Amino acid sequence: AWPLLDLQIRTGQLELRLPTDTELTSLAALARAGIHPPEEMPFGVPWTDASGVDLERAFLQYHWRCRGQWRPEEWRLELGVWAEGQPVGIQMIGATDFAMLRTVTTGSWLGRAFQGRGIGKEMRAAVLALAVQRLAPNPKTVLETLDLDTDGFALQARRLLSMAATRSLALG
């Protein structure tokens, strides 16, 4: 099995992990139900402009492509996010040339019904804590510089592959 399937991040109210194909279908339906008002576009790639079956198909293909194209030099970890056992959105962390650049990026979305509750902030903090605790050469210095509190986050994994993340956070 792929080692990243064992990765789980738990916070006070959230669970972040790679979704199964069945869970991806549920997350696609959540995205289809709406993430933002139709007249707005908060994403660099207007993927939410697609509708119905087209949106769901493109959503699934994108997530499968991220898994299939994973390489140490370039990766995107698209984690499903659950609150109280219910899917609420996706939190991505990824990197390109992490060994040389030591930076990660993040991106995310939440179903509209789950916005405005602090969930987005908590899920981003969770993946940044993962990056700092597992990827930074000197995690204590990075945490002090960022004033990033990792209390309440639990990382559970049997084995991790070499990773990086999104929002251009320098880790060293």
Side-chain angles (χ1 to χ4, degrees), residues 134-153:
R134 299 293 184 219
L135 300 175
N138 188 344
K140 187 174 192 286
T141 301
V142 174
L143 291 172
E144 289 169 356
T145 302
L146 294 174
D147 193 26
L148 182 61
D149 180 10
T150 59
D151 288 348
F153 294 97

Side-chain angles (χ1 to χ4, degrees), residues 72-73 75 95-104 135-136 163-164 171:
E73 305 81 38
W75 53 266
T96 300
D97 295 324
F98 180 78
M100 182 173 51
L101 300 176
R102 307 299 291 172
T103 61
V104 297
L135 300 175
M163 295 193 253
L171 299 176

